[in-house]
Amino acid sequence: MVCSLHHEGVVNPAKSRIRVVGWEEEGVYVPLSCQQCDEPFCEKVCPVKATYRDEKTRAMLVNHDLCIGCRSCIMACPFEGPALDPEAKKILKCDLCGGEPRCVAFCPTSALKYLQPTSAMLEKKNSAFLRRVRMLRVKLAKPLLVKG
């Protein structure tokens, strides 16, 4: 909630840069946000080059003056990082709050940490990225079954 309050001035999960997907029966909740990829698909597919990397924080940002709301970045991201603000029709993605993420500062259980990545962390993230891309390719490669 602090994310939408900080960025948009309202407490609204739909305007947060972090979304939580939950499986109620299992009691599992997983946060989804921008992974700040080394080779971001969102940047590569943007037709107007509105997505770019901040040199200071290394976060992937969106220039809303350039963004045309085509949603290419949403479709290209294997981690479901970018989202669309349903009212403003602009792309929302984690910008690391300029290097001091508010979600980390306000997490009541200290479950969130903002750490400089180690080589082991980067290797794990890259491995997860490749698994996700392979999974998406398999899903996209399956032919559609037409009943008739």
Side-chain angles (χ1 to χ4, degrees):
M1 297 300 162
V2 73
C3 181
S4 63
L5 183 61
H6 171 70
H7 288 288
E8 306 296 329
V10 296
V11 175
N12 183 342
K15 293 179 178 282
S16 177
R17 273 78 177 151
I18 299 174
R19 290 166 318 288
V20 177
V21 176
W23 291 268
E24 294 291 329
E25 289 183 23
E26 292 84 3
V28 175
Y29 301 90
V30 179
L32 298 177
S33 68
C34 180
Q35 297 294 301
Q36 315 301 346
C37 298
D38 290 332
E39 294 183 34
F41 288 162
C42 59
E43 181 180 37
K44 292 178 185 203
V45 301
C46 182
V48 294
K49 307 296 181 215
T51 304
Y52 66 98
R53 186 173 306 280
D54 180 273
E55 292 302 316
K56 178 184 161 210
T57 65
R58 306 297 298 150
M60 294 306 302
L61 306 178
V62 176
N63 180 333
H64 290 107
D65 292 332
L66 295 177
C67 181
I68 57 174
C70 68
R71 304 177 193 181
S72 293
C73 58
I74 293 172
M75 293 181 281
C77 179
F79 293 109
E80 300 180 36
L84 186 70
D85 180 321
E87 294 170 4
K89 305 294 185 216
K90 69 179 183 176
I91 297 299
L92 303 174
K93 60 194 311 294
C94 179
D95 61 4
L96 300 176
C97 294
E100 297 182 27
R102 300 307 187 275
C103 57
V104 173
F106 287 90
C107 181
T109 63
S110 298
L112 300 176
K113 305 278 186 228
Y114 179 60
L115 306 170
Q116 292 303 315
T118 64
S119 58
M121 290 166 68
L122 291 173
E123 189 175 316
K124 186 176 179 180
K125 183 170 100 170
N126 288 337
S127 176
F129 173 78
L130 293 173
R131 278 194 311 274
R132 180 77 171 142
V133 168
R134 281 193 293 272
M135 185 179 74
L136 289 172
R137 284 185 182 149
V138 168
K139 280 184 178 180
L140 294 174
K142 289 182 181 177
L144 294 174
L145 298 176
V146 180
K147 294 182 179 183

